[in-house]
């Protein structure tokens, strides 16, 4: 079955530290991949997306993600986090099923950045 | 850019009550979506609509109805509110297919 897994429900890091949020998908083909961020009491906003080409994609606010076909992963990274990065991060994959595209979300990772 | 507006922001209802959530977009996108967000469970698709008067069921459609009478608006009805469906309901718009979604800020439902 097609699925998206974010294995870490909560991640806490110190301000200025590097960050990696993990995402794995289950799909026989190559999906379209997205990372969204949700700040408190707001809707989701797109951070970055991968369709094809260079496996490392750059997003807003210094975020980047790397697609790995061999590992079926799309991990999100940031070199130095800021307290304002505290939010919930969702990985999502658009995968074809029975002729239509389904966007499936992971369960989210709550990121807390400590001052 | 376009705006997507969800009303109300907070909705309180009684168990068994019929409740309606509204979503408006001014970006002329064809496809609109309703997702339910439960804590620790990510987003699950309730209904989506490719264009006006079109309705497609998602994985979580049981207990919900939807209506898309105009391209700019997409409403969701909880047919009989239950305490276990207290959640945040998110509306989104997009171009369809594998394109980026743009979300509203959500309606938080509480059932007493």
């Amino acid at each position: 079955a097609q699925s998206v897994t974010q294995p870490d429900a909560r991640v806490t890091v110190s301000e200025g530290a590097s960050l990696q949020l993990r995402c794995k998908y289950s799909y026989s083909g190559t999906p379209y991949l997205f990372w969204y961020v949700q700040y408190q009491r707001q809707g989701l906003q797109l951070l970055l997306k991968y369709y094809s080409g260079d496996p490392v994609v750059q997003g807003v606010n210094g975020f980047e993600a790397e697609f790995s076909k061999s590992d079926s992963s799309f991990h999100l990274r940031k070199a130095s986090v800021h307290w304002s990065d505290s939010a919930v991060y969702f990985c999502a994959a658009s995968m074809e099923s029975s002729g239509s595209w389904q966007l499936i979300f992971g369960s989210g990772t709550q990121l807390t950045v400590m001052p | 850019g376009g705006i997507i507006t969800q009303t109300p922001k907070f909705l309180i209802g009684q168990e068994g009550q019929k409740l309606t959530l509204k979503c408006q977009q001014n970006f002329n996108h064809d496809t609109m979506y309703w997702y339910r967000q439960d804590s620790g469970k990510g987003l699950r698709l309730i209904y989506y609509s490719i264009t006006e008067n079109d309705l497609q069921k998602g994985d979580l459609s049981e207990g919900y109805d939807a209506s898309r009478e105009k391209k700019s608006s997409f409403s969701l009805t909880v047919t009989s509110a239950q305490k276990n469906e207290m959640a945040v309901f998110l509306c989104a718009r997009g171009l369809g297919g594998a394109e980026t979604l743009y979300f509203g800020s959500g309606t938080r439902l509480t059932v007493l």
Side-chain angles (χ1 to χ4, degrees):
Chain A
Q2 297 169 349
S3 64
V4 176
T5 302
Q6 293 180 249
D8 304 308
R10 295 178 184 277
V11 170
T12 300
V13 296
S14 297
E15 193 165 25
S18 63
L19 171 72
Q20 177 172 277
L21 301 182
R22 296 182 292 165
C23 173
K24 297 198 77 168
Y25 64 88
S26 174
Y27 179 53
S28 57
T30 299
Y32 299 112
L33 294 158
F34 305 83
W35 275 98
Y36 286 88
V37 61
Q38 184 180 35
Y39 299 102
Q40 196 165 16
R41 299 201 180 272
Q42 294 185 28
L44 279 69
Q45 302 169 37
L46 181 72
L47 269 182
L48 48 78
K49 62 186 177 185
Y50 172 79
Y51 284 174
S52 65
D54 189 337
V56 179
V57 291
Q58 305 295 322
V60 297
N61 297 334
F63 285 94
E64 67 173 31
E66 183 167 5
F67 166 65
S68 169
K69 188 172 176 64
S70 62
D71 195 38
S72 298
S73 67
F74 189 54
H75 302 325
L76 181 71
R77 302 190 296 239
K78 187 170 184 179
S80 176
V81 295
H82 187 262
W83 64 266
S84 60
D85 293 326
S86 295
V88 181
Y89 291 78
F90 289 95
C91 181
S94 192
M95 299 179 273
E96 190 185 3
S97 175
S98 303
S100 66
W101 289 89
Q102 273 266 37
L103 183 64
I104 298 176
F105 285 84
S107 54
T109 297
Q110 171 78 58
L111 173 66
T112 302
V113 179
M114 305 294 288
Chain B
I3 295 173
I4 184 162
T5 304
Q6 290 187 240
T7 55
K9 288 192 184 304
F10 300 94
L11 180 57
I12 300 174
Q14 301 289 330
E15 197 165 18
Q17 191 177 358
K18 185 175 177 179
L19 301 166
T20 298
L21 293 69
K22 295 186 185 294
C23 179
Q24 293 273 130
Q25 57 122 347
N26 68 351
F27 206 65
N28 208 35
H29 276 162
D30 283 320
T31 308
M32 296 184 76
Y33 306 79
W34 275 107
Y35 285 92
R36 175 174 156 167
Q37 182 181 15
D38 293 274
S39 179
K41 289 187 179 177
L43 277 67
R44 291 180 289 173
L45 183 65
I46 306 172
Y47 266 97
Y48 68 101
S49 167
I50 296 171
T51 189
E52 60 188 86
N53 297 316
D54 174 76
L55 294 173
Q56 307 286 338
K57 291 184 178 181
D59 293 336
L60 208 63
S61 61
E62 189 172 336
Y64 301 94
D65 286 329
S67 172
R68 182 99 184 267
E69 292 176 355
K70 292 188 298 184
K71 194 173 184 179
S72 60
S73 68
F74 190 32
S75 62
L76 180 73
T77 298
V78 181
T79 55
S80 177
Q82 304 298 316
K83 289 197 181 209
N84 64 1
E85 66 192 328
M86 292 195 289
V88 176
F89 292 81
L90 292 168
C91 177
R93 58 174 173 87
L95 293 171
E99 295 298 322
T100 303
L101 296 187
Y102 299 88
F103 286 83
S105 56
T107 294
R108 185 173 295 272
L109 173 64
T110 301
V111 181
L112 302 176

